[in-house]
Amino acid sequence: MRAILNEIGRLTPIGTVRKVDGSVTHMKVYPEFCEGLKDISLYSHLIVLYWAHRRDNEEERQTLLVYPRRHNRKAETGVFSCRSPSRPNPICLCVVELLKAEGCTLTVKGLDAEPGSPILDIKPYLARAMVSS
Amino acid sequence: MRAILNEIGRLTPIGTVRKVDGSVTHMKVYPEFCEGLKDISLYSHLIVLYWAHRRDNEEERQTLLVYPRRHNRKAETGVFSCRSPSRPNPICLCVVELLKAEGCTLTVKGLDAEPGSPILDIKPYLARAMVSS
C-alpha cells in the first residue's frame, strides 16, 4: 500500500534566504520560528534544507534522468544519484559553516541557494553522526 | 517579503519504507520514480529524506523547544539545534549504507525510519562535498 501524506502533510517555510555575498549568505528565520534556534551557536556547521522554488514546476519535477554538470559525465544519470535540483521533490541540502547567529538572522558560509529561496529546515551537522553504520 | 511556496509546492512521496530488520531496512521506490535510481549503485552511502508521518500533526509542528533524548541535556533546546522529529516540517534525514539495489528496492543499513514512512528524496552521500567551506 502506498504511503500517503495526510492533509497536514504540507510544507511551511520557516524562513528565507535574504542576501548572498559571495560565499556568505544571510538567512532570516521568521519570528514565529525563532525560538527553535535556541542553542544553535553550539554548532560550527549546520544542515540547511531549502526549497528549489525555481525548479518547482511540473517539468522539472517529472525529470528522472539528467546530465549532471558537476560530475562531468557524458551519460544520463538518475536524479537520486546526483544533486540536481530537478527532482520529484525539489528539496536541496547544504552543509554550511555557521559564522554568526544574531536574533533571527543566521550568517552562514557555503549555502548554495539564491535570495528568496524558502528555508524548510535547519539541523545541526554532527560529522560523527552522519554515518552511523 | 515572505517566501511563498506556490500551489505546486507540495510533497510527493517517491517511495516507502517496507520492512525493518534490525539495522537493515528495505525501501521500495514507486515504479514511476524508479528510473531516478539509475547509477545509484555507484555510491556506498546515501542521504535519505523521509517524512516523520507520525509527527505530522499541529502540536508536533508547533513545537519549537524540546528536551533532546540523545543529547542528555537537562535544558530545553531549539528544534533546529537537534534532530527531534517534532519540528515545523517533519523532514528527517539519515545517512545510510547502501547494501543492495535491486530493481525498485534498496536495502540499506542505518535508516532510522519505521515501516510506512514516506520517502521524500534520495541523494548520494559524498563525504568530501558535505562541508565545502
Side-chain angles (χ1 to χ4, degrees), chain A residues 3-4 16 27 32 39 55-56 66 76 88 91 105 120:
Chain A
I4 305 278
T16 186
M27 292 161 45
E32 65 268 37
D39 294 338
R55 304 298 184 112
D56 187 4
V66 292
E76 283 182 314
I91 301 173
T105 299
L120 301 177

Coordinates of all heavy atoms in Angstrom, one line a residue, chain A residues 3-4 16 27 32 39 55-56 66 76 88 91 105 120:
Chain A
A3 N 2.3 4.9 0.7 CA 2.4 5.9 1.8 C 1.6 7.1 1.3 O 1.8 7.6 0.2 CB 3.8 6.3 2.1
I4 N 0.8 7.6 2.1 CA 0.0 8.8 1.8 C 0.4 9.9 2.7 O 0.4 9.7 3.9 CB -1.5 8.6 1.9 CG1 -1.9 7.3 1.1 CG2 -2.3 9.8 1.5 CD1 -2.2 7.6 -0.4
T16 N 13.8 32.5 5.0 CA 14.1 32.7 3.6 C 15.6 33.2 3.5 O 16.2 33.7 4.5 CB 13.2 33.8 3.0 OG1 13.4 33.9 1.6 CG2 13.3 35.1 3.7
M27 N 20.6 34.4 6.2 CA 19.3 33.7 6.2 C 18.4 34.3 7.3 O 18.9 34.6 8.4 CB 19.4 32.2 6.6 CG 20.1 31.4 5.5 SD 20.7 29.8 6.3 CE 19.3 29.3 7.3
E32 N 8.1 33.8 14.2 CA 7.4 32.8 15.0 C 8.1 31.5 15.1 O 7.7 30.6 15.8 CB 6.0 32.6 14.3 CG 6.0 32.0 12.9 CD 6.0 33.1 11.8 OE1 6.6 34.2 12.0 OE2 5.3 32.9 10.8
D39 N 20.3 27.6 21.2 CA 21.5 26.8 21.3 C 22.2 26.6 19.9 O 23.1 25.8 19.8 CB 21.2 25.4 21.9 CG 20.8 25.5 23.4 OD1 21.2 26.5 24.0 OD2 20.2 24.6 23.9
R55 N 12.7 25.5 -9.5 CA 12.5 24.2 -10.2 C 11.2 23.6 -9.8 O 11.0 22.5 -10.2 CB 13.7 23.3 -9.7 CG 15.1 23.8 -9.9 CD 15.3 24.0 -11.4 NE 16.7 24.4 -11.6 CZ 17.6 23.7 -12.2 NH1 17.3 22.5 -12.7 NH2 18.9 24.1 -12.3
D56 N 10.4 24.3 -9.1 CA 9.1 23.8 -8.7 C 8.1 23.9 -9.8 O 7.2 24.8 -9.7 CB 8.7 24.4 -7.4 CG 7.4 23.8 -6.8 OD1 7.0 22.8 -7.4 OD2 6.9 24.3 -5.8
V66 N 19.2 13.0 -15.7 CA 19.8 14.3 -16.0 C 21.3 14.1 -16.4 O 21.8 13.0 -16.2 CB 19.8 15.3 -14.8 CG1 18.4 15.8 -14.5 CG2 20.5 14.7 -13.6
E76 N 23.5 10.0 -19.1 CA 22.4 10.4 -18.1 C 22.6 9.6 -16.9 O 22.9 8.5 -16.9 CB 21.1 10.2 -18.8 CG 20.6 11.2 -19.8 CD 19.2 10.9 -20.3 OE1 19.0 9.8 -20.6 OE2 18.5 11.9 -20.3
P88 N 11.7 14.9 -8.1 CA 10.3 14.9 -7.8 C 9.9 15.9 -6.6 O 8.9 16.6 -6.7 CB 10.0 13.5 -7.4 CG 11.0 12.7 -8.2 CD 12.2 13.6 -8.2
I91 N 13.8 19.5 -2.9 CA 14.4 19.8 -1.6 C 15.9 19.8 -1.8 O 16.5 18.7 -2.2 CB 14.0 18.8 -0.5 CG1 12.5 18.8 -0.4 CG2 14.7 19.2 0.8 CD1 12.0 17.7 0.6
T105 N 18.6 36.0 12.6 CA 19.4 36.0 11.3 C 20.6 35.1 11.5 O 21.3 35.3 12.5 CB 19.8 37.4 11.0 OG1 18.7 38.2 10.7 CG2 20.7 37.4 9.7
L120 N 13.4 25.4 4.6 CA 12.4 24.4 5.2 C 12.8 23.9 6.5 O 12.0 23.5 7.4 CB 12.3 23.2 4.2 CG 11.8 23.5 2.8 CD1 11.8 22.2 2.0 CD2 10.4 24.1 2.8

